[in-house]
Each structure stands twice: as structure tokens, then as C-alpha cells.
Amino acid sequence: MELNRRTVIAGAAAAGLAATGLGTGTAQASTSGGRAPVKEHFGTLADGTRIYRWSLENGGTRLKVLNYGGVVQSLELPDRHGRYADVVAGFDDIADYVAESPYFGALIGRYGNRIGKGRFTLDGTSYQLSVNDGVNSLHGGAQGFDKHVWDVEPFTHGHDVGLRLYYTSADGEMGYPGTLRTTVTYTLTRHGDWRIDYEATTDRATVVNLTSHVYWNLAGEGGGTIEDHELTIAASRYTPTDPGLIPTGELAGVAGTPFDFRCAKPIGRDIRAGHEQQVQAKGYDHNWVLDKGITARPEHIATLRDPRSGRTLRIATDQPGLQFYSGNFLDGTLTGTGGRTYRQGDALCLETQHFPDSPNQADFPSTVLRPGRTYRTTTVHAFGV
């Protein structure tokens, strides 16, 4: 008999199974009434700034978040037997996030993904951004939103618990025009879903593309390759790139290529197929053009499942694109929270977004935000077994 998530959570609580990692409680049988966020000191930056971690628990999901970069430092889920594991890559030490993190668990802005040559033109004015990926700008530049300390406000609302994170990016920061005031809300629902709501306003026309850069391994962080994870993406097209991973402008069909994930398949099945796009990216590192397009509310667009543990992640978003990155540049030099090193393909990212390089691609959906308008987008992560 296949067990559902609520049965597994209740069974874990009845058995008194202890939390893994830094958690100290047992699994919750209830799917409502989550615990209020708990704050603790996590570390100190070189300039003396204290970094804090908030721990949230609701509906059987345990989430730990830093005010540095809005980083999801840990996310624990039960497997089909009720055994918990941390399923996101991360570090135990703030110094590692500062010195060497490849965006583990971070909030990304102002612009998620790449902008070609770090340049774009808006309303007749050209802007030069911080260049930090060869000749291109990646994830907001050398000091993107992932490298700033956010203000954090914990909340409980009905059966939900969460955090509101605030950051104001000054006009000209990393070359972007306009003062951008950003609020990102992390919510754990009574059913254990993790919801992200992004909002931003500006006083000058600018471009915005916010996302979350969690690295997933549903078998448990440091648990080995994700190539046996089964992935489904509701997309008939993707955006091929040049050797610098900047989209060429083409919306190419996935049919008959390794990029076809319309039906569930193991990630490793075609990852070494030798397609020229895979060769230059060292695997998958592309934007999928979601069939649903931009929608008024989040719609289901991707499912990730680990057959060994039974853990399943379902993603819903209102965004038009999904960047699937197969951990191609993890090279064994980073040691995670469980004391194990992360090697190529030991974790993956599924980043809901607008398309890379949209400010330079007239045929891509616009990422322009103007004064008087509010940027809003939502992504929901639903977990199951």
C-alpha cells in the first residue's frame, strides 16, 4: 500500500523519531498549528554584523532560514517510512556562505540568471552591470541580493507560519537603475507546503527577475547523485544558449532531444547524450519555456521524485520559465552540513523565473518594472511521499 504524506508524518510522530541535523523535536502528527519561528545566532560577518537563523516547522516540514541572503540553510522532510532528512545543500558556517557558496539556498536578484555582457538598454539609456561570469552578469552581479543581510519579520497567521524578508537596493547598485524595495515572504502552510511570494517597487524604470536558488537532493543532502531522480517539466520548448550560456533567442522544441521532460524520466537517462547544448553546459543548465506561459496564479509545472526515499516535490508558479541546473559545476571542493562533499550532479536547481537575458531579447516576455507598478510573483513547493 502506498502511504500518503499525512500518514507518514503521523506514523513518524507516533514512533518518536528524532529530527536530523540541528532539529530537536519529533515529527508533527498535525497538519495545522505550526510552531512560531524560533530565532538563534548563526555567526558573525567580518564587519561584526550578527547573522541569525530562524527555524520554522509546520505540516511535517522543517525549514531553517538565514537573514544573510535569505538563504534556506536546511529543509527537512520525511521519507515514505517517516525518516527525516535535510534535502537541500548548504553549510554549517556563515564563513562558507560568504567565501565560496555557489548560491546555495539563496534569494537571487535583481536579476536571476544571466544578462549578456552585463549590458542592456532601457528607454534609450544604456546600463553597464557588474560582470561576474566571464563577460556576462550572473544573478545580479558580484554583490547580488544573495550577499546582503535582509531584515526579517517572523509571523504566524491562522494555521500558517513564516518570515517576511526585506531588502532595499539603492539606485545604481551593481549598475541597475532605480531604488528597488523588495519584500519576499516565506510561508509554511498547514500541509507543509513552502510558498514564496515576491514583491518589489521602484522609483525609476528598471528590470527585475527574482528567484530562489535552492539545490535539491530528495534522497538527502550529500546523499549522492541526483541522476536517478525522476523529473517532469510541462514545457514543449526551451531556450538554447551560446557557449557563454546566453540564450540565442530561439525557442527550440524539446521533442526528440534530451531536453524532453514532458513525461517523467530519470535525469541521468539522457544527461550524457552528447547534444551540443549539453556539451557546452556540462549537463543541463537551461531555461524551459513553460507551456502555460505567464498566469494569474501559480499552476503546477514540474515534479521531482526520488524513487529511493519516495519523497516528491511538486512546483507551481505563475512565471513563464523554469531554469533546470543539474549541479554541473559542483566539483568536490565544498563540504555540506552533513560533512560530505558535493560532487558534480549531487544536487539540482529548479528556478522559477522569466527568461535569461530578457532585457536584450525583444521577443521574450518583458522584465521591465516601472514606478507606480508592483512586481509580484509566487512559487509554491508542495512535498509528498
Side-chain angles (χ1 to χ4, degrees):
M1 180 180 68
E2 183 175 352
L3 302 178
N4 62 36
R5 177 172 169 78
R6 296 187 189 184
T7 301
V8 167
I9 293 169
L17 295 176
T20 60
L22 297 171
T24 58
T26 56
Q28 288 181 251
S30 173
T31 56
S32 62
R35 299 175 184 174
V38 176
K39 179 182 177 182
E40 61 184 322
H41 182 239
F42 184 75
T44 304
L45 299 182
D47 65 1
T49 301
R50 290 171 66 85
I51 301 302
Y52 295 96
R53 178 175 63 187
W54 278 259
S55 298
L56 300 79
E57 184 172 353
N58 205 7
T61 299
R62 300 166 179 159
L63 180 67
K64 296 180 188 295
V65 177
L66 307 182
N67 61 334
Y68 180 81
V71 163
V72 172
Q73 189 253 345
S74 172
L75 196 156
E76 297 180 42
L77 299 171
D79 66 9
R80 61 166 61 90
H81 302 295
R83 297 173 299 205
Y84 273 82
D86 182 5
V87 298
V88 302
F91 299 118
D92 278 332
D93 191 332
I94 187 59
D96 290 332
Y97 283 105
V98 174
E100 57 187 0
S101 177
Y103 306 99
F104 281 162
L107 288 174
I108 301 298
R110 285 188 194 190
Y111 199 96
N113 220 304
R114 294 171 174 85
I115 294 180
K117 298 183 179 179
R119 301 174 189 165
F120 69 93
T121 300
L122 178 59
D123 296 337
T125 300
S126 295
Y127 296 94
Q128 178 62 59
L129 307 176
S130 166
V131 171
N132 63 327
D133 183 50
V135 299
N136 302 318
S137 183
L138 173 66
H139 294 330
Q143 294 291 322
F145 287 8
D146 60 295
K147 295 178 178 64
H148 289 276
V149 177
W150 293 60
D151 294 325
V152 179
E153 177 185 66
F155 68 87
T156 58
H157 180 74
H159 295 300
D160 296 340
V161 299
L163 304 170
R164 294 186 183 89
L165 299 96
Y166 304 94
Y167 177 67
T168 297
S169 175
D171 182 25
E173 185 175 276
M174 296 295 103
Y176 288 90
T179 299
L180 192 78
R181 291 177 170 82
T182 304
T183 301
V184 178
T185 304
Y186 289 165
T187 303
L188 278 188
T189 73
R190 63 183 298 182
H191 300 302
D193 297 345
W194 173 40
R195 176 182 174 120
I196 311 176
D197 292 286
Y198 306 86
E199 289 191 8
T201 59
T202 184
D203 59 1
R204 290 178 61 193
T206 190
V207 294
V208 185
N209 188 29
L210 306 180
T211 191
S212 171
H213 209 293
V214 168
Y215 282 69
W216 301 96
N217 186 324
L218 297 183
E221 67 82 29
T225 181
I226 48 80
E227 290 190 10
D228 57 352
H229 281 39
E230 297 167 352
L231 178 63
T232 310
I233 304 175
S236 302
R237 297 174 296 172
Y238 76 107
T239 52
T241 67
D242 66 17
L245 302 183
I246 300 298
T248 63
E250 179 187 7
L251 304 182
V254 301
T257 78
F259 294 84
D260 192 349
F261 284 92
R262 290 175 294 176
C263 295
K265 69 176 181 181
I267 290 168
R269 177 180 295 174
D270 298 324
I271 201 168
R272 293 173 179 81
H275 191 286
E276 63 178 357
Q277 285 289 306
Q278 292 174 296
V279 172
Q280 69 183 18
K282 296 181 171 60
Y284 295 110
D285 192 2
H286 295 78
N287 168 70
W288 270 253
V289 179
L290 300 175
D291 289 341
K292 70 174 189 60
I294 299 172
T295 47
R297 57 183 53 85
E299 295 184 10
H300 173 244
I301 53 92
T303 299
L304 181 69
R305 180 177 180 271
D306 170 40
R308 289 179 288 168
S309 66
R311 294 186 185 96
T312 299
L313 164 64
R314 289 172 54 86
I315 298 178
T317 189
D318 49 19
Q319 292 288 276
L322 178 74
Q323 183 82 9
F324 165 37
Y325 168 58
S326 54
N328 312 329
F329 296 101
L330 299 174
D331 60 4
T333 61
L334 303 178
T335 300
T337 51
R340 293 179 289 270
T341 57
Y342 298 138
R343 298 188 179 275
Q344 187 179 50
D346 279 356
L348 64 90
C349 301
L350 297 168
E351 306 156 62
T352 57
Q353 58 172 23
H354 271 59
F355 305 166
D357 201 39
S358 289
N360 296 313
Q361 304 276 356
D363 293 334
F364 287 3
S366 175
T367 55
V368 174
L369 177 66
R370 298 188 180 278
R373 299 291 184 93
T374 299
Y375 171 97
R376 289 190 179 92
T377 179
T378 297
T379 294
V380 180
H381 306 81
F383 307 108
V385 286

